[in-house]
Amino acid sequence: MGEWPLQIFYFAACAFWMKKIITLLIGIFLTITVRAQRLAPNCVIIEEIFPDPSPKVGLPEFEFIELLNRSDSTIDLKNWSLGDPSGRTLFPFSVLLAPDSVLILCSISAAQAYSSLGKTVGLPGFPSLHNQSDQLILYAPDGRVIHALHYEQSWYHNAVKSSGGWSLEMINPHYPCSGIDNWEASNDPSGGTPGRLNSTHATFQDQTGPRLIRAYFQDSVRSEEHTSELQSH
């Protein structure tokens, strides 16, 4: 009978370490999968902007940006950066964004106010969003532009809502570079939909092709062109 406690202890120890090993292996697999994935243009996009939170309609009186993962893979945003004409702010830690999920980005001081509405990250140096117009750029860790937009106050399509308290929402995330035709003021009674499906979500067909912005020769054979739309392949 004296051997039973020893056998029980042996099996419990084996089960404990087996669970540890399996957890470790799953973590390694997920890390390799996330790091090895190909980050295509527009795999993650900016799909809601709240540049003018006053006067208050319902949302916290803090600016925010919402990201959407359009890809079919979980993406780690560590070492990504968000920029505007004045500079960039870095994602200094690991943030896993699952497929078809959203992430609220805001200042550190606003993070607590938005955390109850959805997954939220407060970024040090979060850019100030200009009310009239601004340019926002999302960069991958290697410096490639993943998504960029230049919004204008006219994107609200509503003179009352453009005066403050309402967010700008992308209508159809399948056309992330369509500009004014694919954005409008939120229809949600709270003034926006951080952490949720955009209230303006609808079918939209992009009828405008990309415009050439600039081009230059890299050498005697190769050239590089920059257009108004990031092409996903």
Side-chain angles (χ1 to χ4, degrees), residues 158 161 166-167 169 184-193 199-201:
N158 186 303
K161 292 182 178 180
W166 299 84
S167 74
E169 296 182 352
E184 64 179 333
S186 175
N187 294 322
D188 193 85
S190 69
T193 55
S199 63
T200 61
H201 185 80

Side-chain angles (χ1 to χ4, degrees), residues 49 51 130-136 149-158 162 167-169 179-180 183-185:
I49 310 165
H130 297 166
N131 296 349
Q132 300 295 324
S133 67
D134 209 346
Q135 183 181 32
L136 297 171
L149 58 85
H150 186 109
Y151 67 86
E152 303 281 346
Q153 196 172 35
S154 58
W155 287 19
Y156 282 94
H157 302 282
N158 186 303
S162 67
S167 74
L168 277 170
E169 296 182 352
I180 187 172
W183 288 79
E184 64 179 333

Side-chain angles (χ1 to χ4, degrees), residues 28 39 53 67 77 84 86 100 124 130 134 147 187 202 222-223:
I28 292 173
L39 295 173
L67 303 183
L77 298 178
D84 66 4
S86 64
D100 201 33
H130 297 166
D134 209 346
H147 185 223
N187 294 322
R222 296 174 299 168
S223 64

Side-chain angles (χ1 to χ4, degrees), residues 108-128:
I108 293 177
S109 60
Q112 184 175 358
Y114 280 114
S115 61
S116 63
L117 302 179
K119 188 173 182 177
T120 301
V121 170
L123 289 177
F126 180 77
S128 176

